[in-house]
Amino acid sequence: MNHIRLEQLLHRAADPAYRDAIDQLGIRAKEAALIRYEIGAGERGQWSHYYYCPLDGTPLGFDWSLPDAHHCPACGTEWKGEPYDGAWVTLANAKIGRMMRDAALYSSNFAKNITRYINRGLVT
């Protein structure tokens, strides 16, 4: 990246919407650090489309601490077993991947430098 492109990037980063995105990235990175779920060798995923209540079509509530209990927030029904467990595994793995990406981006010097640049008022 040359100096001109860096300046353009930093000026765009001063946009409040971008600052909000950096803040959200930080929140997701901190949430990622709290996850204690470990991917098991015997886990098998299913289509994430299965993670909906068959009674009313509402997405089931995802809870890291309850990988085998899948509650519908609309009707209150609890679903167990397959295909819900497998869909939960698929969603958990996808969330872990996104959180790893977010944590890596947030911890990078790039994110810190942009935040420092904005906070110092170097962008008008």
Side-chain angles (χ1 to χ4, degrees), residues 44-56:
R44 298 292 178 260
Q46 276 284 3
W47 285 10
S48 58
H49 303 304
Y50 287 135
Y51 215 67
Y52 290 83
C53 179
L55 299 179
D56 55 35

Side-chain angles (χ1 to χ4, degrees), residues 12-91:
R12 288 184 190 121
D15 182 325
Y18 190 85
R19 276 185 259 162
D20 290 345
I22 290 282
D23 292 343
Q24 288 300 313
L25 196 61
I27 289 168
R28 290 192 307 268
K30 289 173 185 157
E31 288 173 355
L34 300 175
I35 304 282
R36 296 293 173 244
Y37 177 75
E38 293 185 20
I39 298 170
E43 289 183 344
R44 298 292 178 260
Q46 276 284 3
W47 285 10
S48 58
H49 303 304
Y50 287 135
Y51 215 67
Y52 290 83
C53 179
L55 299 179
D56 55 35
T58 303
L60 298 175
F62 183 93
D63 187 335
W64 285 106
S65 64
L66 299 170
D68 58 354
H70 318 288
H71 294 89
C72 176
C75 69
T77 304
E78 181 179 301
W79 302 94
K80 290 190 172 282
E82 292 299 335
Y84 311 104
D85 291 350
W88 188 97
V89 167
T90 297
L91 293 171

